[in-house]
Every structure is written in structure tokens, then in C-alpha cells.
Amino acid sequence: MEEAYRFDERSYDALDAAGVTWQTVQYVLRNRPRVRRHIGAVLNIAGQGADQQWYMVALVEEAADEYLVAGARPLDETEIQAVSKMLERGAS
């Protein structure tokens, strides 16, 4: 089953505050390479947007394979290096 991602008003408010568009979030969620970390009901996905900038998207699992976007932000250089190393090791 393919994952479904949902936005609500709080999602849009959080993205606006971080200066990240919903289109960028969709791009990060749907494209590869990316790093996924699932801890409990929280899913973090790091990947590049169409602008080649690296982003972290935070989601909350509402049901099996259904996620609410909680926020997103650009990664800093240290985080980009860490994500790059994870990708080199085959993390996804």
C-alpha cells in the first residue's frame, strides 16, 4: 500500500512559519534519495526539494500508512553531512 500524506491548517501554518512550501514537502516525500526515521507515531523524512536544498519533514502517523504533515524545515550544513553519510551507508 502506498503511503498517504495529509495537510491541515496547522500544517500550512507551520510550513509558512518555516518558509517551506507544501509543494516542496510533496517533492521531498515522493522523491529519492531520502532518509526515513520512524519512531513511534513520528516519521521524519530528509531529502532534497526541487530546488536542490535539503529539508526535514516531520509527520505524525494517524493510521496505518496515513500521515499528517506536522512541519518541515531546511537542514543546516552539519545535518546535510549526516544525512549524506546515512545515504552512503544505504539508509532509507
Side-chain angles (χ1 to χ4, degrees):
M1 179 176 180
E2 188 172 320
E3 293 176 338
Y5 305 109
R6 183 175 79 79
F7 296 80
D8 66 8
E9 287 304 315
R10 289 175 296 181
S11 305
Y12 295 118
D13 290 344
L15 295 176
D16 186 52
V20 179
T21 67
W22 67 267
Q23 295 95 331
T24 296
V25 170
Q26 287 285 18
Y27 193 92
V28 170
L29 296 175
R30 303 283 182 201
N31 289 285
R32 305 240 184 332
R34 63 186 185 177
V35 174
R36 295 169 50 94
R37 293 289 175 243
H38 207 263
I39 301 172
V42 177
L43 173 62
N44 288 309
I45 298 178
Q48 285 183 302
D51 60 1
Q52 303 304 303
Q53 168 83 29
W54 285 90
Y55 296 91
M56 177 68 69
V57 179
L59 306 110
V60 177
E61 188 171 21
E62 298 183 305
D65 297 319
E66 295 180 9
Y67 297 89
L68 173 65
V69 174
R73 63 177 179 79
L75 297 181
D76 65 28
E77 281 302 316
T78 302
E79 293 168 317
I80 292 168
Q81 290 175 8
V83 167
S84 295
K85 287 180 184 177
M86 286 183 227
L87 289 170
E88 289 171 10
R89 290 192 305 252
S92 62

